[in-house]
Amino acid sequence: MPWLLLIIAAIFEVGWPLGFKLSGLYPQRFWLYIILSIVSMTLSGLFLYLAQKSIPVSTAYVIWTGAGAIGTFLIGILCFGDSTSLLRMAFALLILVGIVGLELSGR
């Protein structure tokens, strides 16, 4: 159950930068997207709090931020036409390798 909570926290971690991006793209709905960002931040923090009751804080935090970064990176590419240069992809892969490596080395 704590790992599911951490995954939910990471999903909400992607929501707030997405809300900020959308608020800039659609100024007529600025407050809607800012509220989405605030709700996402709140829920992300809440689920992280609940997950790290059972998962070590160092592991939970790295997975939470790393998964949020990778998720945001992918949304940027898929939805907003962000660059897919080889270097960007390689560095994103390094983040993913770091997340997996941290979890595997802690066992």
Side-chain angles (χ1 to χ4, degrees):
M1 184 66 170
W3 287 101
L4 178 60
L5 294 173
L6 188 57
I7 291 168
I8 293 168
I11 291 169
F12 280 115
E13 181 68 3
V14 173
W16 65 268
L18 177 60
F20 287 159
K21 177 70 173 179
L22 293 172
S23 72
L25 290 175
Y26 303 104
Q28 68 275 20
R29 294 193 175 120
F30 175 83
W31 287 110
L32 172 68
Y33 293 123
I34 291 299
I35 291 169
L36 170 71
S37 294
I38 293 168
V39 169
S40 291
M41 282 181 210
T42 303
L43 291 173
S44 179
L46 173 66
F47 282 105
L48 175 64
Y49 163 75
L50 295 171
Q52 67 186 17
K53 287 183 172 186
S54 301
I55 300 171
V57 65
S58 59
T59 302
Y61 184 73
V62 168
I63 291 172
W64 176 66
T65 56
I70 294 294
T72 304
F73 176 78
L74 291 174
I75 287 175
I77 290 170
L78 297 172
C79 299
F80 300 109
D82 289 357
S83 169
T84 57
S85 73
L86 188 59
L87 273 177
R88 288 193 65 185
M89 300 300 269
F91 287 124
L93 182 61
L94 285 174
I95 293 171
L96 187 59
V97 168
I99 293 168
V100 172
L102 181 69
E103 173 53 25
L104 292 177
S105 67
R107 291 184 182 186

